[in-house]
Amino acid sequence: MKIMNQRTKIVAYTNSLKIEGEINFDEDSRLTDVLNSKNYNKEFLPINDAVVTYLKTGEITKVTFLSLNKSSIEVIYEEDN
């Protein structure tokens, strides 16, 4: 049985950034599973096609890949499609 990967849009906030992008995880997983599981990277959350907004200035940067330190996340949620 092959497990399908799903791409999920997320929004994450750190102390100084708003990050919008997509993460990949198994179809039967949830965002909390990705954040807490030992099977996934322990320290960093890989985000694809990220849009980074600097909260103080409003400046926007777009990158194809971003590795976000999980300990810096203050709020994260799945974006409604």
Side-chain angles (χ1 to χ4, degrees):
M1 174 188 231
K2 184 177 178 182
I3 297 177
M4 300 286 291
N5 279 341
Q6 66 178 2
R7 261 194 144 170
T8 301
K9 292 183 179 183
I10 58 97
V11 177
Y13 286 88
T14 69
N15 186 38
S16 59
L17 303 171
K18 174 184 177 186
I19 301 163
E20 301 169 271
E22 295 182 336
I23 60 172
N24 295 322
F25 54 88
D26 296 337
E27 188 176 80
D28 294 332
S29 298
R30 300 169 300 181
L31 180 58
T32 54
D33 298 333
V34 174
L35 295 172
N36 297 322
S37 175
K38 293 180 182 178
N39 294 331
Y40 292 94
N41 189 308
K42 293 180 185 177
E43 295 180 44
F44 292 91
L45 181 65
I47 302 174
N48 298 303
D49 302 321
V51 178
V52 180
T53 304
Y54 296 85
L55 297 175
K56 287 186 180 181
T57 64
E59 180 183 344
I60 296 174
T61 301
K62 296 179 182 181
V63 295
T64 56
F65 178 80
L66 175 81
S67 188
L68 178 61
N69 189 316
K70 290 181 184 178
S71 67
S72 67
I73 298 171
E74 293 184 357
V75 175
I76 188 168
Y77 58 89
E78 291 183 37
E79 190 174 70
D80 293 334
N81 294 330

